[in-house]
Amino acid sequence: MSVRESNPGPVRRAAAQHVAVWIGVYTGLALSISLTAWIILANRFPFLEPFDRERNLAATTLIGLFALIPVMRYMNAPDRW
């Protein structure tokens, strides 16, 4: 029995990095799409101008929730590894 077969640590780290990369990619895409939509709504639709505070609050809340995805996903990560 080799040392490599009995130690599953590197396999776990490789899987965690793979999952972390995909969560980062999906979160980055969600943030990019929401920021782009926010800018388009703010600049291209003048009839939404009376609702600028509500629009900005909704967009900020959405972006904040998307930004919390990685934090919430790995909140208990030190317990597992």
Side-chain angles (χ1 to χ4, degrees):
M1 177 183 271
S2 71
V3 174
R4 194 172 206 51
E5 290 175 9
S6 65
N7 188 3
V11 175
R12 283 187 183 167
R13 279 190 227 114
Q17 288 172 352
H18 181 69
V19 171
V21 168
W22 284 111
I23 287 177
V25 167
Y26 290 144
T27 303
L29 282 173
L31 286 169
S32 298
I33 290 169
S34 60
L35 284 168
T36 303
W38 185 9
I39 290 172
I40 290 172
L41 283 173
N43 292 325
R44 300 289 181 186
F45 297 105
F47 64 88
L48 291 175
E49 200 166 316
F51 307 107
D52 59 348
R53 285 186 190 169
E54 291 84 3
R55 180 196 63 217
N56 290 343
L57 180 63
T60 305
T61 303
L62 184 67
I63 289 169
L65 290 174
F66 281 140
L68 278 176
I69 290 173
V71 174
M72 298 305 289
R73 173 68 173 92
Y74 294 106
M75 185 167 276
N76 293 328
D79 295 342
R80 285 184 259 159
W81 288 292

